[in-house]
Amino acid sequence: MNGPSKIYDRLVLGHPVIVLILLSLLLSFFAFHARDFRLDASADALVLEDDKDLIEYNEIIYRYDPKDFFIITYASHEDLFTRQSLDRFK
């Protein structure tokens, strides 16, 4: 056996009751404090401040009021950029 396994064998396997008591105390400590745990998963917390897409998005929001957007979807049975499909938009 090498050094770390000798230490593990002597400390952990040599005193199983003490190890179980210590692990139970450690688990109890973390279980007690788990109720104070808060995770912030909001969009602001998940996006980096220097993200180039965020900077571009903020510039667009600054330039155009979000109420100014109007989105139209179109499904064509033929290719979208054919003359016949484009004439329908006129």
Side-chain angles (χ1 to χ4, degrees):
M1 289 181 154
N2 57 10
S5 61
K6 284 182 185 179
I7 295 171
Y8 177 81
D9 189 36
R10 188 179 55 214
L11 293 177
V12 176
L13 298 178
H15 308 286
V17 175
I18 295 173
V19 170
L20 287 174
I21 291 171
L22 289 174
L23 288 176
S24 297
L25 289 173
L26 188 65
L27 179 65
S28 299
F29 173 78
F30 285 118
F32 178 75
H33 289 288
R35 62 191 167 107
D36 298 327
F37 178 74
R38 301 286 181 258
L39 178 65
D40 183 13
S42 64
D44 293 334
L46 296 175
V47 177
L48 299 174
E49 288 298 322
D50 59 346
D51 185 17
K52 64 179 182 174
D53 294 327
L54 175 65
I55 294 169
E56 183 178 351
Y57 172 77
N58 286 334
E59 288 174 359
I60 290 172
I61 291 298
Y62 179 75
R63 190 178 317 148
Y64 305 104
D65 186 26
K67 298 173 195 161
D68 290 344
F69 286 100
F70 184 68
I71 298 173
I72 298 174
T73 61
Y74 175 74
S76 177
H77 297 291
E78 57 233 7
D79 287 339
L80 182 62
F81 295 108
T82 61
R83 178 55 49 199
Q84 187 177 11
S85 292
L86 292 175
D87 286 341
R88 289 190 184 127
F89 285 112
K90 290 181 182 181

